[in-house]
Amino acid sequence: MTIILGLESSCDETAAALVTGEREILSHKLAGQEEAHRPYGGVVPEIAARAHVEVMTPLVAAALDEAKIELDRVDAIAATAGPGLIGGVMVGLMTGKALALAADKPLIAVNHLEGHALSPRLTDPDLEFPYLLLLVSGGHCQILRVEGVGTYRRLATTIDDAAGEAFDKTAKALGLGFPGGPAVERAAKDGDPKAVPLPRPLTGSREPHFSFSGLKAAVLRAQQSGDYAAEDIAASLQAAVIDCLIDRLEMQLEAHPDIETLVIAGGVAANNALRERLAALGEQAGVRLVAPPPWLCTDNAAMIAWAGAERFAAGLTDPLDTPARARWPLDPDGEKVRGAGVKA
């Protein structure tokens, strides 16, 4: 039985997990930083990095203890090597390198986005390649065709901001609290999604990409006008974001008739309203929808360990001088689009 130790520290969650190649999660330990960042309404990179340093080693020890496994029984160490806040990424990757060197185990440098992309296969053994993936989080909003481990074709990306950023900035503008995504979703339950006339950027366009910066600006204008309740703005924003995502997915499903499975991953994938719309889209398009449990959508070490297990099974390991990366596209050969820049 293959056992992989996974480490995650790319943003404001520190986590360690042990996962087998047979899809068994032996342990998972996570330390959040919500209280530290709440006064600022967003993640402060320096605070996040220091917190990772303080808790990473105890979390690894706790994960090993919970699984009742010694480090020498682990087959490989998988650590997020990017993309993300570089200070945090370095903490997890350096810890992984130290453990790999000390225990004489292979290192697997995992792309955080690949962790999200492969996470549905951890809980759904029937999920086969290829599949269409909506990867939607605070920093990324992409549609990818997942052909296999390490093989991703980017079909669409954001030309400016990610959907998760729209949620976070809306929550901050409305004073809903941190983290922004869950706060907006909670407020939206008590609001009218048709109350505020917000734009749906690029919907109906032949261009396959996303744009959310104009939507954020419209939310700010609505808030400053004083004409709308916070709950109505939240509900209208959530509806607008989902409409944009569904519109772009419909285009890609039509363009890829061989695809039988639609997959969603990333932090925004935990949004229940989005899941309901995607389920309806899947039924309409005749494709199966696979959505990981909400806890596996947000940043965690189980997905990093699983991505490590998939890469290890494919014979893919990395040298100890592998660098940490702030930017690391899943499809490095993807065509550059207007405005996307390093987010592509």
Side-chain angles (χ1 to χ4, degrees):
M1 178 175 66
T2 301
I3 301 175
I4 306 295
L5 170 62
L7 310 178
E8 159 60 21
S9 60
S10 64
C11 190
D12 62 333
E13 306 282 2
T14 317
L18 288 156
V19 173
T20 74
E22 288 72 41
R23 295 180 168 83
E24 182 181 2
I25 301 173
L26 302 178
S27 65
H28 187 267
K29 295 295 181 181
L30 183 145
Q33 304 174 8
E34 292 181 7
E35 292 303 319
H37 300 288
R38 183 168 284 117
Y40 308 98
V43 178
V44 180
E46 292 81 3
I47 293 176
R50 287 197 295 269
H52 290 311
V53 171
E54 292 173 359
V55 302
M56 178 60 82
T57 299
L59 281 180
V60 171
L64 290 167
D65 183 63
E66 181 178 279
K68 296 180 173 55
I69 287 177
E70 299 292 333
L71 185 60
D72 60 6
R73 284 187 57 200
V74 172
D75 292 284
I77 314 295
T80 298
L85 301 177
I86 193 64
V89 172
M90 290 176 66
V91 172
L93 182 58
M94 292 301 292
T95 302
K97 289 180 178 181
L99 292 171
L101 181 63
D104 192 25
K105 301 295 181 179
L107 172 72
I108 304 171
V110 175
N111 185 314
H112 179 82
L113 302 181
E114 183 168 45
H116 282 304
L118 297 177
S119 63
R121 286 171 48 84
L122 171 58
T123 54
D124 190 333
D126 296 325
L127 178 57
E128 300 288 345
F129 303 117
Y131 51 83
L132 192 70
L133 169 68
L134 173 63
L135 177 54
V136 57
S137 67
H140 297 85
C141 189
Q142 302 177 353
I143 300 175
L144 301 116
R145 183 182 171 101
V146 181
E147 298 285 357
V149 177
T151 306
Y152 307 92
R153 179 184 166 199
R154 194 203 69 213
L155 305 174
T157 186
T158 176
I159 66 172
D160 42 55
D161 298 329
E165 288 177 273
F167 280 106
D168 291 340
K169 295 296 174 61
T170 296
K172 187 172 185 178
L174 299 178
L176 297 177
F178 176 84
V184 169
E185 184 176 9
R186 286 193 298 270
K189 292 179 180 178
D190 297 321
D192 178 0
K194 298 180 180 180
V196 186
L198 296 177
R200 269 69 171 164
L202 295 182
T203 56
S205 163
R206 295 184 64 186
E207 183 175 12
H209 306 298
F210 301 97
S211 172
F212 294 104
S213 63
L215 183 54
K216 289 194 313 181
V219 165
L220 186 59
R221 289 193 297 271
Q223 186 270 334
Q224 292 174 340
S225 74
D227 295 334
Y228 306 101
E231 292 79 6
D232 288 341
I233 297 176
S236 298
L237 176 279
Q238 179 174 264
V241 169
I242 293 175
D243 283 348
C244 292
L245 297 175
I246 295 297
D247 180 83
R248 306 289 82 189
L249 281 171
E250 288 177 335
M251 173 186 289
Q252 295 301 338
L253 286 170
E254 291 177 3
H256 297 267
D258 63 312
I259 289 293
E260 298 180 352
T261 309
L262 171 63
V263 173
I264 183 172
V268 181
N271 182 284
N272 288 310
L274 175 58
R275 286 174 174 244
E276 291 175 2
R277 287 286 301 278
L278 287 172
L281 173 62
E283 185 174 350
Q284 171 191 325
V287 298
R288 185 168 75 100
L289 173 67
V290 175
W295 76 269
L296 197 56
C297 294
T298 53
D299 291 349
N300 64 87
M303 72 177 189
I304 302 303
W306 174 250
E310 294 247 41
R311 294 185 70 81
F312 187 71
L316 302 173
T317 60
D318 299 281
L320 291 178
D321 62 353
T322 297
R325 309 185 195 187
R327 305 296 180 192
W328 190 3
L330 273 182
D331 180 6
D333 299 321
E335 181 181 0
K336 184 176 175 59
V337 301
R338 63 179 179 95
V342 293
K343 285 191 176 182

